[in-house]
mmCIF file of all heavy atoms in Angstrom:
data_model
loop_
_atom_site.group_PDB
_atom_site.id
_atom_site.type_symbol
_atom_site.label_atom_id
_atom_site.label_comp_id
_atom_site.label_asym_id
_atom_site.label_seq_id
_atom_site.Cartn_x
_atom_site.Cartn_y
_atom_site.Cartn_z
ATOM 1 N N SER A 111 33.010 -18.058 -33.247
ATOM 2 C CA SER A 111 32.462 -17.072 -32.304
ATOM 3 C C SER A 111 31.157 -17.568 -31.704
ATOM 4 O O SER A 111 30.885 -17.336 -30.519
ATOM 5 C CB SER A 111 32.311 -15.704 -32.970
ATOM 6 O OG SER A 111 31.393 -15.736 -34.042
ATOM 7 N N ASP A 112 30.335 -18.283 -32.472
ATOM 8 C CA ASP A 112 29.114 -18.878 -31.907
ATOM 9 C C ASP A 112 29.468 -19.900 -30.824
ATOM 10 O O ASP A 112 28.800 -19.984 -29.792
ATOM 11 C CB ASP A 112 28.276 -19.562 -32.991
ATOM 12 C CG ASP A 112 27.422 -18.597 -33.800
ATOM 13 O OD1 ASP A 112 27.307 -17.409 -33.413
ATOM 14 O OD2 ASP A 112 26.868 -19.043 -34.828
ATOM 15 N N ALA A 113 30.519 -20.675 -31.050
ATOM 16 C CA ALA A 113 30.917 -21.681 -30.057
ATOM 17 C C ALA A 113 31.273 -21.014 -28.729
ATOM 18 O O ALA A 113 30.868 -21.481 -27.656
ATOM 19 C CB ALA A 113 32.098 -22.502 -30.572
ATOM 20 N N VAL A 114 32.011 -19.920 -28.786
ATOM 21 C CA VAL A 114 32.392 -19.205 -27.561
ATOM 22 C C VAL A 114 31.164 -18.626 -26.877
ATOM 23 O O VAL A 114 30.945 -18.814 -25.683
ATOM 24 C CB VAL A 114 33.419 -18.091 -27.882
ATOM 25 C CG1 VAL A 114 33.614 -17.172 -26.686
ATOM 26 C CG2 VAL A 114 34.744 -18.706 -28.299
ATOM 27 N N VAL A 115 30.340 -17.916 -27.639
ATOM 28 C CA VAL A 115 29.163 -17.260 -27.076
ATOM 29 C C VAL A 115 28.178 -18.292 -26.529
ATOM 30 O O VAL A 115 27.616 -18.107 -25.440
ATOM 31 C CB VAL A 115 28.503 -16.345 -28.127
ATOM 32 C CG1 VAL A 115 27.122 -15.897 -27.695
ATOM 33 C CG2 VAL A 115 29.394 -15.142 -28.394
ATOM 34 N N ASP A 116 27.969 -19.381 -27.243
ATOM 35 C CA ASP A 116 27.029 -20.402 -26.770
ATOM 36 C C ASP A 116 27.488 -21.006 -25.447
ATOM 37 O O ASP A 116 26.680 -21.269 -24.561
ATOM 38 C CB ASP A 116 26.851 -21.501 -27.822
ATOM 39 C CG ASP A 116 26.145 -21.006 -29.075
ATOM 40 O OD1 ASP A 116 25.635 -19.860 -29.078
ATOM 41 O OD2 ASP A 116 26.134 -21.757 -30.071
ATOM 42 N N GLY A 117 28.797 -21.212 -25.299
ATOM 43 C CA GLY A 117 29.320 -21.699 -24.026
ATOM 44 C C GLY A 117 29.069 -20.711 -22.898
ATOM 45 O O GLY A 117 28.709 -21.092 -21.783
ATOM 46 N N MET A 118 29.239 -19.421 -23.191
ATOM 47 C CA MET A 118 28.986 -18.387 -22.191
ATOM 48 C C MET A 118 27.508 -18.348 -21.803
ATOM 49 O O MET A 118 27.169 -18.228 -20.616
ATOM 50 C CB MET A 118 29.422 -17.021 -22.725
ATOM 51 C CG MET A 118 30.921 -16.896 -22.920
ATOM 52 S SD MET A 118 31.387 -15.368 -23.772
ATOM 53 C CE MET A 118 31.071 -14.172 -22.471
ATOM 54 N N LEU A 119 26.635 -18.449 -22.792
ATOM 55 C CA LEU A 119 25.195 -18.416 -22.507
ATOM 56 C C LEU A 119 24.766 -19.633 -21.695
ATOM 57 O O LEU A 119 23.928 -19.527 -20.801
ATOM 58 C CB LEU A 119 24.401 -18.318 -23.805
ATOM 59 C CG LEU A 119 24.509 -16.982 -24.527
ATOM 60 C CD1 LEU A 119 23.833 -17.051 -25.892
ATOM 61 C CD2 LEU A 119 23.925 -15.856 -23.692
ATOM 62 N N ARG A 120 25.362 -20.756 -21.995
ATOM 63 C CA ARG A 120 25.051 -21.966 -21.220
ATOM 64 C C ARG A 120 25.461 -21.770 -19.757
ATOM 65 O O ARG A 120 24.730 -22.131 -18.844
ATOM 66 C CB ARG A 120 25.766 -23.168 -21.827
ATOM 67 C CG ARG A 120 25.305 -24.483 -21.260
ATOM 68 C CD ARG A 120 25.813 -25.632 -22.127
ATOM 69 N NE ARG A 120 25.342 -26.864 -21.578
ATOM 70 C CZ ARG A 120 25.954 -27.522 -20.589
ATOM 71 N NH1 ARG A 120 27.053 -27.065 -20.055
ATOM 72 N NH2 ARG A 120 25.447 -28.652 -20.136
ATOM 73 N N GLN A 121 26.621 -21.139 -19.537
ATOM 74 C CA GLN A 121 27.063 -20.853 -18.170
ATOM 75 C C GLN A 121 26.113 -19.882 -17.472
ATOM 76 O O GLN A 121 25.985 -19.915 -16.252
ATOM 77 C CB GLN A 121 28.467 -20.255 -18.172
ATOM 78 C CG GLN A 121 29.548 -21.262 -18.411
ATOM 79 C CD GLN A 121 30.918 -20.624 -18.296
ATOM 80 O OE1 GLN A 121 31.209 -19.609 -18.922
ATOM 81 N NE2 GLN A 121 31.758 -21.226 -17.476
ATOM 82 N N GLU A 122 25.461 -19.017 -18.238
ATOM 83 C CA GLU A 122 24.502 -18.054 -17.685
ATOM 84 C C GLU A 122 23.137 -18.687 -17.426
ATOM 85 O O GLU A 122 22.213 -18.001 -17.011
ATOM 86 C CB GLU A 122 24.335 -16.865 -18.634
ATOM 87 C CG GLU A 122 25.531 -15.955 -18.689
ATOM 88 C CD GLU A 122 25.752 -15.185 -17.394
ATOM 89 O OE1 GLU A 122 24.764 -14.788 -16.756
ATOM 90 O OE2 GLU A 122 26.920 -14.999 -17.020
ATOM 91 N N GLY A 123 23.014 -19.986 -17.710
ATOM 92 C CA GLY A 123 21.772 -20.688 -17.416
ATOM 93 C C GLY A 123 20.795 -20.804 -18.571
ATOM 94 O O GLY A 123 19.668 -21.265 -18.392
ATOM 95 N N PHE A 124 21.216 -20.416 -19.766
ATOM 96 C CA PHE A 124 20.340 -20.560 -20.925
ATOM 97 C C PHE A 124 20.226 -22.021 -21.325
ATOM 98 O O PHE A 124 21.217 -22.755 -21.298
ATOM 99 C CB PHE A 124 20.888 -19.773 -22.122
ATOM 100 C CG PHE A 124 20.520 -18.328 -22.131
ATOM 101 C CD1 PHE A 124 21.287 -17.405 -21.443
ATOM 102 C CD2 PHE A 124 19.417 -17.877 -22.831
ATOM 103 C CE1 PHE A 124 20.971 -16.066 -21.450
ATOM 104 C CE2 PHE A 124 19.083 -16.532 -22.848
ATOM 105 C CZ PHE A 124 19.862 -15.626 -22.157
ATOM 106 N N GLN A 125 19.032 -22.416 -21.687
ATOM 107 C CA GLN A 125 18.816 -23.703 -22.339
ATOM 108 C C GLN A 125 19.026 -23.445 -23.820
ATOM 109 O O GLN A 125 18.317 -22.632 -24.409
ATOM 110 C CB GLN A 125 17.396 -24.203 -22.095
ATOM 111 C CG GLN A 125 17.160 -24.682 -20.684
ATOM 112 C CD GLN A 125 17.817 -26.028 -20.456
ATOM 113 O OE1 GLN A 125 19.025 -26.119 -20.259
ATOM 114 N NE2 GLN A 125 17.036 -27.062 -20.467
ATOM 115 N N LEU A 126 19.981 -24.116 -24.426
ATOM 116 C CA LEU A 126 20.240 -23.884 -25.832
ATOM 117 C C LEU A 126 19.195 -24.573 -26.691
ATOM 118 O O LEU A 126 18.764 -25.686 -26.377
ATOM 119 C CB LEU A 126 21.633 -24.394 -26.199
ATOM 120 C CG LEU A 126 22.799 -23.822 -25.387
ATOM 121 C CD1 LEU A 126 24.119 -24.273 -25.977
ATOM 122 C CD2 LEU A 126 22.740 -22.320 -25.296
ATOM 123 N N PRO A 127 18.775 -23.923 -27.769
ATOM 124 C CA PRO A 127 17.836 -24.566 -28.691
ATOM 125 C C PRO A 127 18.406 -25.889 -29.196
ATOM 126 O O PRO A 127 19.627 -26.060 -29.296
ATOM 127 C CB PRO A 127 17.702 -23.547 -29.826
ATOM 128 C CG PRO A 127 18.049 -22.239 -29.199
ATOM 129 C CD PRO A 127 19.111 -22.567 -28.183
ATOM 130 N N GLN A 128 17.533 -26.793 -29.533
ATOM 131 C CA GLN A 128 17.931 -28.142 -29.947
ATOM 132 C C GLN A 128 18.910 -28.127 -31.125
ATOM 133 O O GLN A 128 19.818 -28.948 -31.193
ATOM 134 C CB GLN A 128 16.689 -28.953 -30.308
ATOM 135 C CG GLN A 128 16.974 -30.393 -30.644
ATOM 136 C CD GLN A 128 15.703 -31.173 -30.903
ATOM 137 O OE1 GLN A 128 14.606 -30.631 -30.864
ATOM 138 N NE2 GLN A 128 15.855 -32.444 -31.176
ATOM 139 N N GLU A 129 18.745 -27.178 -32.042
ATOM 140 C CA GLU A 129 19.591 -27.150 -33.238
ATOM 141 C C GLU A 129 20.975 -26.549 -32.997
ATOM 142 O O GLU A 129 21.805 -26.525 -33.898
ATOM 143 C CB GLU A 129 18.891 -26.389 -34.373
ATOM 144 C CG GLU A 129 18.677 -24.913 -34.126
ATOM 145 C CD GLU A 129 17.399 -24.583 -33.351
ATOM 146 O OE1 GLU A 129 16.722 -25.484 -32.851
ATOM 147 O OE2 GLU A 129 17.107 -23.390 -33.238
ATOM 148 N N VAL A 130 21.239 -26.089 -31.790
ATOM 149 C CA VAL A 130 22.524 -25.457 -31.478
ATOM 150 C C VAL A 130 23.436 -26.470 -30.798
ATOM 151 O O VAL A 130 23.089 -27.045 -29.779
ATOM 152 C CB VAL A 130 22.317 -24.230 -30.557
ATOM 153 C CG1 VAL A 130 23.652 -23.661 -30.109
ATOM 154 C CG2 VAL A 130 21.494 -23.168 -31.281
ATOM 155 N N SER A 131 24.615 -26.687 -31.393
ATOM 156 C CA SER A 131 25.576 -27.597 -30.776
ATOM 157 C C SER A 131 26.617 -26.772 -30.029
ATOM 158 O O SER A 131 26.945 -25.661 -30.408
ATOM 159 C CB SER A 131 26.239 -28.480 -31.830
ATOM 160 O OG SER A 131 26.906 -27.677 -32.767
ATOM 161 N N VAL A 132 27.145 -27.341 -28.966
ATOM 162 C CA VAL A 132 28.087 -26.627 -28.114
ATOM 163 C C VAL A 132 29.450 -27.304 -28.169
ATOM 164 O O VAL A 132 29.555 -28.519 -28.053
ATOM 165 C CB VAL A 132 27.595 -26.605 -26.648
ATOM 166 C CG1 VAL A 132 28.614 -25.971 -25.736
ATOM 167 C CG2 VAL A 132 26.277 -25.874 -26.550
ATOM 168 N N LEU A 133 30.477 -26.502 -28.352
ATOM 169 C CA LEU A 133 31.842 -26.974 -28.184
ATOM 170 C C LEU A 133 32.126 -26.822 -26.689
ATOM 171 O O LEU A 133 32.308 -25.730 -26.188
ATOM 172 C CB LEU A 133 32.810 -26.120 -29.015
ATOM 173 C CG LEU A 133 34.277 -26.483 -28.933
ATOM 174 C CD1 LEU A 133 34.510 -27.906 -29.433
ATOM 175 C CD2 LEU A 133 35.102 -25.506 -29.732
ATOM 176 N N TRP A 134 32.105 -27.923 -25.960
ATOM 177 C CA TRP A 134 32.079 -27.894 -24.492
ATOM 178 C C TRP A 134 33.237 -27.149 -23.849
ATOM 179 O O TRP A 134 33.076 -26.517 -22.830
ATOM 180 C CB TRP A 134 31.980 -29.311 -23.936
ATOM 181 C CG TRP A 134 30.668 -29.908 -24.306
ATOM 182 C CD1 TRP A 134 30.441 -30.828 -25.295
ATOM 183 C CD2 TRP A 134 29.397 -29.593 -23.769
ATOM 184 N NE1 TRP A 134 29.111 -31.102 -25.390
ATOM 185 C CE2 TRP A 134 28.434 -30.372 -24.458
ATOM 186 C CE3 TRP A 134 28.955 -28.729 -22.769
ATOM 187 C CZ2 TRP A 134 27.076 -30.308 -24.170
ATOM 188 C CZ3 TRP A 134 27.607 -28.678 -22.487
ATOM 189 C CH2 TRP A 134 26.686 -29.456 -23.179
ATOM 190 N N ASP A 135 34.424 -27.179 -24.442
ATOM 191 C CA ASP A 135 35.551 -26.489 -23.820
ATOM 192 C C ASP A 135 35.763 -25.083 -24.379
ATOM 193 O O ASP A 135 36.756 -24.441 -24.090
ATOM 194 C CB ASP A 135 36.836 -27.306 -23.931
ATOM 195 C CG ASP A 135 37.265 -27.533 -25.372
ATOM 196 O OD1 ASP A 135 36.521 -27.156 -26.291
ATOM 197 O OD2 ASP A 135 38.347 -28.091 -25.570
ATOM 198 N N ALA A 136 34.812 -24.575 -25.150
ATOM 199 C CA ALA A 136 34.955 -23.252 -25.754
ATOM 200 C C ALA A 136 35.125 -22.158 -24.719
ATOM 201 O O ALA A 136 35.801 -21.175 -24.964
ATOM 202 C CB ALA A 136 33.747 -22.941 -26.641
ATOM 203 N N LYS A 137 34.568 -22.334 -23.536
ATOM 204 C CA LYS A 137 34.669 -21.294 -22.508
ATOM 205 C C LYS A 137 36.105 -21.073 -22.054
ATOM 206 O O LYS A 137 36.422 -20.074 -21.434
ATOM 207 C CB LYS A 137 33.779 -21.627 -21.323
ATOM 208 C CG LYS A 137 34.189 -22.880 -20.592
ATOM 209 C CD LYS A 137 33.206 -23.246 -19.514
ATOM 210 C CE LYS A 137 33.588 -24.581 -18.923
ATOM 211 N NZ LYS A 137 32.502 -25.295 -18.371
ATOM 212 N N GLN A 138 36.982 -22.009 -22.365
ATOM 213 C CA GLN A 138 38.386 -21.901 -21.963
ATOM 214 C C GLN A 138 39.271 -21.409 -23.098
ATOM 215 O O GLN A 138 40.475 -21.303 -22.930
ATOM 216 C CB GLN A 138 38.877 -23.257 -21.455
ATOM 217 C CG GLN A 138 38.103 -23.742 -20.251
ATOM 218 C CD GLN A 138 38.411 -25.188 -19.915
ATOM 219 O OE1 GLN A 138 39.138 -25.863 -20.631
ATOM 220 N NE2 GLN A 138 37.862 -25.659 -18.819
ATOM 221 N N GLN A 139 38.689 -21.119 -24.254
ATOM 222 C CA GLN A 139 39.478 -20.708 -25.403
ATOM 223 C C GLN A 139 38.877 -19.446 -26.017
ATOM 224 O O GLN A 139 37.678 -19.219 -25.942
ATOM 225 C CB GLN A 139 39.496 -21.817 -26.462
ATOM 226 C CG GLN A 139 40.218 -23.066 -25.984
ATOM 227 C CD GLN A 139 40.095 -24.179 -26.994
ATOM 228 O OE1 GLN A 139 38.999 -24.666 -27.234
ATOM 229 N NE2 GLN A 139 41.207 -24.570 -27.577
ATOM 230 N N SER A 140 39.729 -18.673 -26.654
ATOM 231 C CA SER A 140 39.250 -17.475 -27.338
ATOM 232 C C SER A 140 38.651 -17.859 -28.686
ATOM 233 O O SER A 140 38.888 -18.955 -29.217
ATOM 234 C CB SER A 140 40.401 -16.500 -27.553
ATOM 235 O OG SER A 140 41.293 -17.007 -28.533
ATOM 236 N N THR A 141 37.924 -16.931 -29.250
ATOM 237 C CA THR A 141 37.384 -17.145 -30.591
ATOM 238 C C THR A 141 38.518 -17.363 -31.583
ATOM 239 O O THR A 141 38.418 -18.221 -32.465
ATOM 240 C CB THR A 141 36.516 -15.947 -31.007
ATOM 241 O OG1 THR A 141 35.454 -15.801 -30.063
ATOM 242 C CG2 THR A 141 35.932 -16.130 -32.392
ATOM 243 N N GLU A 142 39.600 -16.617 -31.439
ATOM 244 C CA GLU A 142 40.741 -16.766 -32.334
ATOM 245 C C GLU A 142 41.337 -18.174 -32.255
ATOM 246 O O GLU A 142 41.693 -18.769 -33.287
ATOM 247 C CB GLU A 142 41.810 -15.713 -32.014
ATOM 248 C CG GLU A 142 41.416 -14.295 -32.409
ATOM 249 C CD GLU A 142 40.489 -13.578 -31.424
ATOM 250 O OE1 GLU A 142 40.114 -14.160 -30.382
ATOM 251 O OE2 GLU A 142 40.130 -12.424 -31.702
ATOM 252 N N GLU A 143 41.443 -18.715 -31.041
ATOM 253 C CA GLU A 143 41.992 -20.071 -30.875
ATOM 254 C C GLU A 143 41.067 -21.113 -31.504
ATOM 255 O O GLU A 143 41.536 -22.038 -32.180
ATOM 256 C CB GLU A 143 42.188 -20.378 -29.396
ATOM 257 C CG GLU A 143 43.302 -19.587 -28.747
ATOM 258 C CD GLU A 143 43.324 -19.729 -27.231
ATOM 259 O OE1 GLU A 143 42.247 -19.723 -26.598
ATOM 260 O OE2 GLU A 143 44.436 -19.852 -26.692
ATOM 261 N N ILE A 144 39.787 -20.971 -31.283
ATOM 262 C CA ILE A 144 38.835 -21.926 -31.858
ATOM 263 C C ILE A 144 38.799 -21.790 -33.377
ATOM 264 O O ILE A 144 38.732 -22.788 -34.097
ATOM 265 C CB ILE A 144 37.443 -21.746 -31.233
ATOM 266 C CG1 ILE A 144 37.515 -22.118 -29.747
ATOM 267 C CG2 ILE A 144 36.397 -22.593 -31.942
ATOM 268 C CD1 ILE A 144 36.275 -21.793 -28.965
ATOM 269 N N TYR A 145 38.865 -20.557 -33.866
ATOM 270 C CA TYR A 145 38.929 -20.331 -35.306
ATOM 271 C C TYR A 145 40.102 -21.106 -35.909
ATOM 272 O O TYR A 145 39.947 -21.793 -36.927
ATOM 273 C CB TYR A 145 39.078 -18.845 -35.622
ATOM 274 C CG TYR A 145 39.297 -18.575 -37.088
ATOM 275 C CD1 TYR A 145 38.215 -18.365 -37.937
ATOM 276 C CD2 TYR A 145 40.581 -18.563 -37.638
ATOM 277 C CE1 TYR A 145 38.407 -18.138 -39.288
ATOM 278 C CE2 TYR A 145 40.783 -18.348 -38.985
ATOM 279 C CZ TYR A 145 39.694 -18.133 -39.810
ATOM 280 O OH TYR A 145 39.898 -17.927 -41.153
ATOM 281 N N ASP A 146 41.265 -21.002 -35.307
ATOM 282 C CA ASP A 146 42.446 -21.691 -35.832
ATOM 283 C C ASP A 146 42.227 -23.198 -35.897
ATOM 284 O O ASP A 146 42.634 -23.851 -36.870
ATOM 285 C CB ASP A 146 43.681 -21.370 -34.984
ATOM 286 C CG ASP A 146 44.160 -19.931 -35.159
ATOM 287 O OD1 ASP A 146 43.764 -19.262 -36.143
ATOM 288 O OD2 ASP A 146 44.931 -19.466 -34.284
ATOM 289 N N ILE A 147 41.570 -23.752 -34.881
ATOM 290 C CA ILE A 147 41.280 -25.191 -34.876
ATOM 291 C C ILE A 147 40.313 -25.531 -36.003
ATOM 292 O O ILE A 147 40.547 -26.458 -36.792
ATOM 293 C CB ILE A 147 40.699 -25.626 -33.510
ATOM 294 C CG1 ILE A 147 41.765 -25.488 -32.419
ATOM 295 C CG2 ILE A 147 40.148 -27.051 -33.584
ATOM 296 C CD1 ILE A 147 41.207 -25.579 -31.003
ATOM 297 N N PHE A 148 39.204 -24.801 -36.100
ATOM 298 C CA PHE A 148 38.211 -25.065 -37.143
ATOM 299 C C PHE A 148 38.813 -24.879 -38.538
ATOM 300 O O PHE A 148 38.569 -25.677 -39.442
ATOM 301 C CB PHE A 148 37.003 -24.145 -36.989
ATOM 302 C CG PHE A 148 36.091 -24.482 -35.833
ATOM 303 C CD1 PHE A 148 35.083 -23.603 -35.476
ATOM 304 C CD2 PHE A 148 36.215 -25.644 -35.094
ATOM 305 C CE1 PHE A 148 34.221 -23.882 -34.426
ATOM 306 C CE2 PHE A 148 35.373 -25.937 -34.042
ATOM 307 C CZ PHE A 148 34.373 -25.051 -33.712
ATOM 308 N N TYR A 149 39.580 -23.826 -38.716
ATOM 309 C CA TYR A 149 40.166 -23.534 -40.026
ATOM 310 C C TYR A 149 41.122 -24.652 -40.445
ATOM 311 O O TYR A 149 41.106 -25.094 -41.598
ATOM 312 C CB TYR A 149 40.876 -22.184 -40.006
ATOM 313 C CG TYR A 149 41.270 -21.706 -41.372
ATOM 314 C CD1 TYR A 149 40.337 -21.092 -42.197
ATOM 315 C CD2 TYR A 149 42.569 -21.878 -41.836
ATOM 316 C CE1 TYR A 149 40.691 -20.655 -43.470
ATOM 317 C CE2 TYR A 149 42.927 -21.452 -43.106
ATOM 318 C CZ TYR A 149 41.992 -20.833 -43.915
ATOM 319 O OH TYR A 149 42.346 -20.408 -45.165
ATOM 320 N N ALA A 150 41.932 -25.123 -39.500
ATOM 321 C CA ALA A 150 42.876 -26.199 -39.795
ATOM 322 C C ALA A 150 42.152 -27.484 -40.182
ATOM 323 O O ALA A 150 42.649 -28.275 -40.991
ATOM 324 C CB ALA A 150 43.793 -26.449 -38.591
ATOM 325 N N GLN A 151 40.941 -27.668 -39.620
ATOM 326 C CA GLN A 151 40.139 -28.851 -39.924
ATOM 327 C C GLN A 151 39.297 -28.676 -41.187
ATOM 328 O O GLN A 151 38.608 -29.598 -41.601
ATOM 329 C CB GLN A 151 39.217 -29.179 -38.754
ATOM 330 C CG GLN A 151 39.936 -29.579 -37.497
ATOM 331 C CD GLN A 151 39.007 -29.695 -36.301
ATOM 332 O OE1 GLN A 151 37.854 -29.267 -36.326
ATOM 333 N NE2 GLN A 151 39.509 -30.287 -35.234
ATOM 334 N N GLY A 152 39.315 -27.471 -41.753
ATOM 335 C CA GLY A 152 38.486 -27.202 -42.932
ATOM 336 C C GLY A 152 37.015 -27.133 -42.596
ATOM 337 O O GLY A 152 36.165 -27.375 -43.441
ATOM 338 N N ASP A 153 36.684 -26.786 -41.366
ATOM 339 C CA ASP A 153 35.305 -26.768 -40.881
ATOM 340 C C ASP A 153 34.632 -25.448 -41.244
ATOM 341 O O ASP A 153 34.814 -24.437 -40.580
ATOM 342 C CB ASP A 153 35.301 -26.952 -39.357
ATOM 343 C CG ASP A 153 33.915 -27.196 -38.795
ATOM 344 O OD1 ASP A 153 32.930 -26.994 -39.529
ATOM 345 O OD2 ASP A 153 33.833 -27.587 -37.630
ATOM 346 N N THR A 154 33.841 -25.465 -42.316
ATOM 347 C CA THR A 154 33.157 -24.246 -42.789
ATOM 348 C C THR A 154 31.662 -24.454 -42.884
ATOM 349 O O THR A 154 31.005 -23.931 -43.786
ATOM 350 C CB THR A 154 33.709 -23.806 -44.154
ATOM 351 O OG1 THR A 154 33.485 -24.873 -45.082
ATOM 352 C CG2 THR A 154 35.185 -23.474 -44.077
ATOM 353 N N GLU A 155 31.072 -25.162 -41.950
ATOM 354 C CA GLU A 155 29.657 -25.514 -42.031
ATOM 355 C C GLU A 155 28.697 -24.433 -41.544
ATOM 356 O O GLU A 155 27.501 -24.628 -41.547
ATOM 357 C CB GLU A 155 29.389 -26.784 -41.222
ATOM 358 C CG GLU A 155 30.100 -27.991 -41.767
ATOM 359 C CD GLU A 155 29.864 -29.220 -40.926
ATOM 360 O OE1 GLU A 155 28.958 -29.212 -40.077
ATOM 361 O OE2 GLU A 155 30.587 -30.188 -41.116
ATOM 362 N N ALA A 156 29.170 -23.288 -41.143
ATOM 363 C CA ALA A 156 28.296 -22.238 -40.618
ATOM 364 C C ALA A 156 27.378 -21.722 -41.714
ATOM 365 O O ALA A 156 27.737 -21.692 -42.878
ATOM 366 C CB ALA A 156 29.112 -21.092 -40.033
ATOM 367 N N GLU A 157 26.193 -21.287 -41.295
ATOM 368 C CA GLU A 157 25.268 -20.669 -42.246
ATOM 369 C C GLU A 157 25.862 -19.351 -42.716
ATOM 370 O O GLU A 157 26.580 -18.680 -42.005
ATOM 371 C CB GLU A 157 23.922 -20.416 -41.556
ATOM 372 C CG GLU A 157 24.021 -19.366 -40.470
ATOM 373 C CD GLU A 157 23.031 -19.531 -39.345
ATOM 374 O OE1 GLU A 157 22.618 -20.646 -39.060
ATOM 375 O OE2 GLU A 157 22.702 -18.511 -38.746
ATOM 376 N N GLU A 158 25.569 -18.971 -43.915
ATOM 377 C CA GLU A 158 26.051 -17.697 -44.447
ATOM 378 C C GLU A 158 24.918 -16.685 -44.384
ATOM 379 O O GLU A 158 23.894 -16.850 -45.027
ATOM 380 C CB GLU A 158 26.513 -17.870 -45.906
ATOM 381 C CG GLU A 158 27.929 -18.373 -46.012
ATOM 382 C CD GLU A 158 28.963 -17.429 -45.442
ATOM 383 O OE1 GLU A 158 28.842 -16.203 -45.566
ATOM 384 O OE2 GLU A 158 29.915 -17.940 -44.840
#
Side-chain angles (χ1 to χ4, degrees):
S111 63
D112 279 349
V114 169
V115 167
D116 293 351
M118 293 172 72
L119 290 173
R120 191 167 181 276
Q121 284 184 308
E122 289 292 323
F124 276 86
Q125 287 286 78
L126 304 187
Q128 185 176 2
E129 66 274 8
V130 174
S131 60
V132 175
L133 179 61
W134 294 103
D135 62 354
K137 64 186 174 207
Q138 299 169 355
Q139 294 174 295
S140 71
T141 301
E142 289 80 0
E143 290 170 319
I144 294 171
Y145 174 90
D146 289 343
I147 293 167
F148 287 170
Y149 191 81
Q151 295 171 348
D153 190 348
T154 60
E155 296 178 14
E157 67 209 28
E158 276 297 323

